Amino acid sequence: GSLLLAVHFYSLPRAAPLIPSTALGVLLLILSSLLAYTGIRRSLRNASLFLSLCLTISVFWCGYGVIFILGGQEVLNDAGDFRNAMVPGLVTFTLALLIIAVVGFLCREVILAMIASAVSLASAHEVAMLYSTAFGSSAVACNYMVVCLAGGYFALGRILYFLSKEKIALPGTDLAKKKTHDQIQSTGGSVNHFAAIGLVLNMLSASVFGCRLLGITGKLFIGQVPWLWAAGIYQIGICILSYRAMDALMATFFGFTSILKFAGGYCLLYPIWQPEEPSFPVPFLVVFSILFAVLAIFVSLKSPVDGLYLLFYVAYCIALACHPKGFFEGGSQGVDVAIFVASALMTFIHLYNVEASAKIPTGKGAVKSLLARSSFLKLREGTDVHAPYLGYSKYADAEVLGYACSVLASFAITMTGDPQAPLSTVVIPWVVVAGGILKLLGGSVAFARGKTLESSAFILYGVLWIIWGLTRYGGLYSTTRSFHVVVGIVAFMLFNGFIVFCTLFLNIAWFFYSLTFSLIAISFLLDAIHALPAGYDIAATLIFGLVSFYCFLSALFNSIFEGSCLPLGRPIVQLSGVGGGTTKCLHLPARKASSVKRIADILKSGGTCGIPTDTVYVLVAACNRPDAVEKAHQSKRQAQDRPMSLWISSLKQLEPAKHLFTPLLWDFMEAAWPSPISLVVPRGEWVDFLGMKDSAKYVGTPQSVAIRIPDCSVTTHLIDLVGPIVVTSANPTGEADTTHHNQVYAKLGDKVDAVLCAGPSPENIASTVVDCTKIDSGNIGFFRVGIVPKSQVKLILVLFLFP
């Protein structure tokens, strides 16, 4: 990318540039996407400065490339337009990359710091070149050539590092050394490596309007939209990545700020189809400032400095609400200047605290020590703060953002606007981005956390807000009400009726949340048929907005504090199974050794658990606990023709009883295991060697027992801790096999004490069950052909026993 820009600026004095502006813009967009991918992939290894550098240059080249495309297509008519479009972004990234360079030099990441400082100087020289012809383009090109040389050295170092299998590392190119430090740092809690990038994006959007106030740019127009919308798109990405970093509060904040960025870009586009500037719905901005203020309070509990930073956005929303023309007024632009300065300072603090061993104090422990004396409020802490109810997830809970978006979308449509000029009031960005795009994001995260009903509701509401927002407030059907719109709204209402019914079994808050959304849908329907009573839509939006605000506060309280300060309530209709019992079944991640040990303790104390295997999920009990085996038998409603089987972790557990097996059968077991092959062997005294006692009557038949060693390290490790276990499929008899940990509790309910969660099972088919009762005569049979085919079982018998 820097080589392309170096060639471009060297050839700039020519009458025709060597690389056409449109082609250069497209290439920069492609390279920016590759840089974003690189930074995100590297973030999984905690190389924070590398991540920050990649994503910062990525968003820089994204907006930069679009402006080059606009220039190539003659949308930017003269040099003044091109300068006004370029300068806000160049100023932002000059400072942002300089901050990254300073942190890099302080933390001895010299190569990355050189790259950042060279791009920063190139941007600074380009700003000078745009304002004065005395500055030639050669200085910009020279800086980009420095980036090429430093980047080439860095790439060579990384290539040698991988080719030599980490034996050769050129100075300044070894990113692996940071991994240990970051891992040690993150033991006290998850670290959000993406926060600094989100703050840079806040600098970018603030720069667009701040430069206008300071007179650096001459006007606000379409040429600055690429910076705003690039910042908005990347901000949504940072929001998702912050959920991945288990930082739900900052993810919510970045979701909020993305809405403002899209709204700002929309306002700059508006003069294309209307000569006057758009006006803003005051109720929305007042509510937005309240949401920012509430979020700032909760963020202050974790980091007072971050909480103070959020107060700038409270002031920003108030400034927008005080003037009908919003972004075009001096008051809000003055706050933008303050946000730019504060964001730059916060970017340095976040980057330095992540990279350096010495920390800049942000007051993180102050509030915690104060609340430690309180008996009413107690902060939630520990590794399971973000653990979902069913299983584990890679994302923190996004319900706070989902509820907040419902509040914003509902109060945005309280401003009816002029039917003849529906676009004159800024409603579409608030409804489509807040109520639609971010609601879809919240639904997707909820689905990833196993919340099927909540995700379905968020996704349904998000789709409806997008369609209705574009149709009603985009003027797509003008004053003519369409029958097709009515049919679509009725379909949404029917689906929402099903969600309302399902929430009866969830909790009271969700029941009222989904029920009051029906009032919104009814107002849409009445408006579509031109029969909306005066004031009904305002009342419906107020009711839904207030219910959503309560859910927003409740989700915030429950994510920060222990206990239920603002409870969501119990299910209106109690059912056995999910949500219906008074006790919760433990769902523990299989990737943790502590989880396996906890499952082992439960089995030893007489519990039954669902666990993953090399095939599907199974229900297990310790064979030396007859009460647990009986419980598993009864919970399954076990059919007589589907007896429970016995699992061991090694043939060493049967070694004391080896003399009770025929040599041929013993050799076949050695050859076949570990594998998804269950062998039905004759029942005998060997059963007593496993300590089954009274459990034996529930295992196998009077004549035979199915036994297996699974080919799954988690399962065998659990058996090593517990001893031999009794196994049956984790589903009621006659139903399909269970292929995900969420299904175990859904099918068996409170009859299972805990579930060891490993996500989707590796196979959808159960084990193959082989009849070995007559193996001494050379004959084997098959009770069930599962994942291992008959031919492979017979091949084992032939190759290993009859060579």
Side-chain angles (χ1 to χ4, degrees):
S2 296
L3 185 61
L4 284 174
L5 290 171
V7 171
H8 169 75
F9 282 104
Y10 269 124
S11 64
L12 200 58
R14 298 173 51 181
L18 191 60
I19 305 176
S21 294
T22 302
L24 179 61
V26 172
L27 290 172
L28 286 176
L29 286 176
I30 295 172
L31 292 170
S32 71
S33 62
L34 293 175
L35 270 174
Y37 173 79
T38 304
I40 293 170
R41 291 290 296 176
R42 187 66 210 181
S43 71
L44 302 178
R45 301 186 182 182
N46 296 331
S48 183
L49 195 67
F50 182 83
L51 154 72
S52 301
L53 179 62
C54 285
L55 290 183
T56 301
I57 296 179
S58 174
V59 68
F60 178 26
W61 285 353
C62 179
Y64 203 47
V66 174
I67 292 176
F68 272 116
I69 293 173
L70 293 178
Q73 298 301 310
E74 299 182 353
V75 176
L76 306 178
N77 299 319
D78 53 33
D81 283 350
F82 189 78
R83 182 180 65 246
N84 287 330
M86 279 291 190
V87 166
L90 292 173
V91 169
T92 299
F93 292 105
T94 297
L95 181 56
L97 290 166
L98 180 62
I99 292 171
I100 294 175
V102 170
V103 173
F105 283 122
L106 291 175
C107 299
R108 300 180 182 179
E109 294 283 0
V110 179
I111 302 300
L112 298 180
M114 286 180 60
I115 294 174
S117 57
V119 179
S120 175
L121 287 173
S123 302
H125 278 105
E126 189 173 354
V127 172
M129 181 190 73
L130 290 172
Y131 279 98
S132 175
T133 55
F135 288 91
S137 60
S138 298
V140 183
C142 287
N143 283 301
Y144 280 119
M145 285 305 300
V146 172
V147 177
C148 292
L149 295 175
Y153 172 81
F154 186 82
L156 177 62
R158 298 305 297 167
I159 291 171
L160 290 175
Y161 184 78
F162 286 111
L163 291 180
S164 64
K165 297 182 179 180
E166 305 182 3
K167 294 179 181 178
I168 301 176
L170 296 181
T173 63
D174 185 9
L175 297 176
K177 64 183 179 182
K178 296 297 295 178
K179 186 176 180 181
T180 303
H181 166 67
D182 287 332
Q183 285 178 337
I184 294 172
Q185 185 187 44
S186 63
T187 54
S190 54
V191 177
N192 188 356
H193 298 274
F194 306 97
I197 311 302
L199 296 169
V200 170
L201 297 175
N202 290 343
M203 289 174 59
L204 179 57
S205 59
S207 175
V208 171
F209 299 104
C211 285
R212 176 67 189 91
L213 177 70
L214 298 175
I216 299 174
T217 55
K219 62 179 179 178
L220 295 173
F221 72 120
I222 187 176
Q224 293 145 353
V225 173
W227 296 123
L228 291 170
W229 281 11
I233 292 170
Y234 275 76
Q235 195 79 294
I236 291 178
I238 296 300
C239 174
I240 297 171
L241 292 170
S242 295
Y243 280 120
R244 182 70 180 263
M246 298 298 171
D247 191 353
L249 293 178
M250 291 304 290
T252 304
F253 168 66
F254 291 138
F256 284 177
T257 55
S258 70
I259 301 171
L260 293 171
K261 293 171 175 58
F262 282 108
Y266 172 84
C267 291
L268 298 191
L269 284 176
Y270 182 79
I272 294 177
W273 55 79
Q274 294 289 343
E276 72 276 4
E277 295 171 347
S279 59
F280 283 66
V282 175
F284 171 87
L285 293 167
V286 172
V287 171
F288 209 175
S289 65
I290 293 173
L291 292 178
F292 266 119
V294 173
L295 187 63
I297 294 172
F298 282 90
V299 170
S300 298
L301 299 176
K302 297 295 182 72
S303 174
V305 171
D306 288 337
L308 290 174
Y309 172 69
L310 263 65
L311 293 180
F312 283 95
Y313 280 89
V314 178
Y316 189 51
C317 291
I318 293 174
L320 291 173
C322 290
H323 299 282
K325 300 305 178 184
F327 295 108
F328 298 93
E329 298 287 347
S332 62
Q333 292 174 2
V335 181
D336 272 310
V337 175
I339 289 175
F340 182 87
V341 176
S343 298
L345 180 61
M346 293 299 297
T347 300
F348 176 78
I349 292 173
H350 275 267
L351 264 181
Y352 185 81
N353 284 350
V354 169
E355 285 291 319
S357 55
K359 308 297 179 187
I360 299 174
T362 58
K364 283 190 175 182
V367 178
K368 181 180 176 181
S369 59
L370 289 174
L371 290 176
R373 304 174 183 176
S374 172
S375 58
F376 178 67
L377 295 176
K378 186 177 180 182
L379 289 175
R380 295 183 63 186
E381 295 179 308
T383 56
D384 296 330
V385 169
H386 300 285
Y389 176 48
L390 294 179
Y392 67 93
S393 173
K394 296 179 180 179
Y395 298 89
D397 203 335
E399 284 194 11
V400 173
L401 181 61
Y403 296 134
C405 289
S406 295
V407 177
L408 294 174
S410 62
F411 279 96
I413 63 175
T414 55
M415 191 80 171
T416 55
D418 182 5
Q420 303 301 324
L423 298 177
S424 60
T425 304
V426 181
V427 176
I428 287 182
W430 314 127
V431 174
V432 173
V433 178
I437 296 175
L438 292 180
K439 188 64 75 66
L440 292 176
L441 187 156
S444 302
V445 174
F447 183 81
R449 291 175 60 82
K451 295 184 174 182
T452 308
L453 178 59
E454 293 91 327
S455 67
S456 300
F458 281 147
I459 291 172
L460 171 70
Y461 299 165
V463 171
L464 183 56
W465 281 120
I466 291 174
I467 295 174
W468 179 251
L470 293 175
T471 303
R472 173 66 178 82
Y473 297 97
L476 297 184
Y477 67 34
S478 185
T479 57
T480 303
R481 302 322 192 223
S482 171
F483 171 76
H484 304 89
V485 175
V486 174
V487 173
I489 294 174
V490 170
F492 274 106
M493 290 176 64
L494 291 175
F495 191 25
N496 188 57
F498 172 73
I499 290 177
V500 172
F501 172 76
C502 292
T503 55
L504 290 171
F505 312 101
L506 188 59
N507 56 57
I508 296 174
W510 256 98
F511 172 74
F512 282 106
Y513 176 71
S514 58
L515 184 64
T516 51
F517 186 80
S518 299
L519 300 177
I520 299 288
I522 291 172
S523 72
F524 293 167
L525 178 63
L526 294 175
D527 184 66
I529 62 177
H530 204 43
L532 183 65
Y536 175 83
D537 54 341
I538 304 298
T541 53
L542 287 175
I543 294 172
F544 179 68
L546 291 174
V547 172
S548 301
F549 185 69
Y550 175 84
C551 293
F552 166 74
L553 289 178
S554 177
L556 266 179
F557 266 99
N558 294 332
S559 65
I560 299 297
F561 297 109
E562 293 183 358
S564 298
C565 302
L566 292 175
L568 292 174
R570 297 180 58 82
I572 297 175
V573 179
Q574 294 282 345
L575 288 180
S576 62
V578 178
T582 56
T583 59
K584 290 185 177 181
C585 167
L586 288 174
H587 283 70
L588 305 171
R591 54 193 167 87
K592 293 185 177 181
S594 59
S595 299
V596 180
K597 183 179 182 301
R598 196 168 179 185
I599 292 288
D601 293 337
I602 293 172
L603 292 176
K604 289 177 182 178
S605 60
T608 59
C609 301
I611 66 170
T613 69
D614 49 350
T615 54
V616 295
Y617 279 80
V618 296
L619 180 66
V620 302
C623 70
N624 59 358
R625 293 300 302 256
D627 53 338
V629 176
E630 182 180 5
K631 178 182 175 182
H633 186 274
Q634 293 176 351
S635 65
K636 271 276 296 182
R637 302 189 300 274
Q638 194 76 21
Q640 293 301 318
D641 58 341
R642 299 285 295 276
M644 302 174 77
S645 59
L646 182 66
W647 284 11
I648 58 177
S649 60
S650 170
L651 277 176
K652 292 181 180 178
Q653 292 174 316
L654 283 177
E655 197 75 38
K658 181 178 180 180
H659 63 281
L660 299 175
F661 294 91
T662 63
L664 188 59
L665 177 57
W666 187 267
D667 291 341
F668 186 51
M669 289 191 294
E670 283 187 327
W673 292 335
S675 71
I677 300 175
S678 297
L679 303 182
V680 178
V681 302
R683 196 182 195 99
E685 295 179 1
W686 61 269
V687 174
D688 299 330
F689 284 86
L690 298 178
M692 294 186 65
K693 302 177 183 177
D694 295 336
S695 304
K697 61 183 178 182
Y698 298 108
V699 181
T701 66
Q703 294 80 30
S704 60
V705 176
I707 188 169
R708 178 156 89 94
I709 299 177
D711 190 13
C712 176
S713 57
V714 172
T715 310
T716 53
H717 178 55
L718 178 64
I719 299 173
D720 286 335
L721 296 175
V722 178
I725 57 176
V726 175
V727 178
T728 185
S729 57
N731 54 271
T733 302
E735 294 189 9
D737 290 319
T738 303
T739 57
H740 196 281
H741 60 253
N742 287 349
Q743 299 175 3
V744 178
Y745 187 61
K747 291 183 176 183
L748 298 179
D750 292 329
K751 298 173 183 177
V752 60
D753 297 304
V755 179
L756 192 61
C757 307
S761 60
E763 305 292 344
N764 294 326
I765 306 174
S767 63
T768 297
V769 182
V770 181
D771 182 8
C772 297
T773 55
K774 300 179 180 179
I775 192 172
D776 290 326
S777 61
N779 296 320
I780 59 172
F782 293 87
F783 288 108
R784 179 180 68 198
V785 179
I787 188 64
V788 181
K790 287 183 180 181
S791 58
Q792 186 173 337
V793 177
K794 292 180 178 179
L795 184 62
I796 294 173
L797 184 65
V798 172
L799 292 180
F800 290 92
L801 304 182
F802 303 110

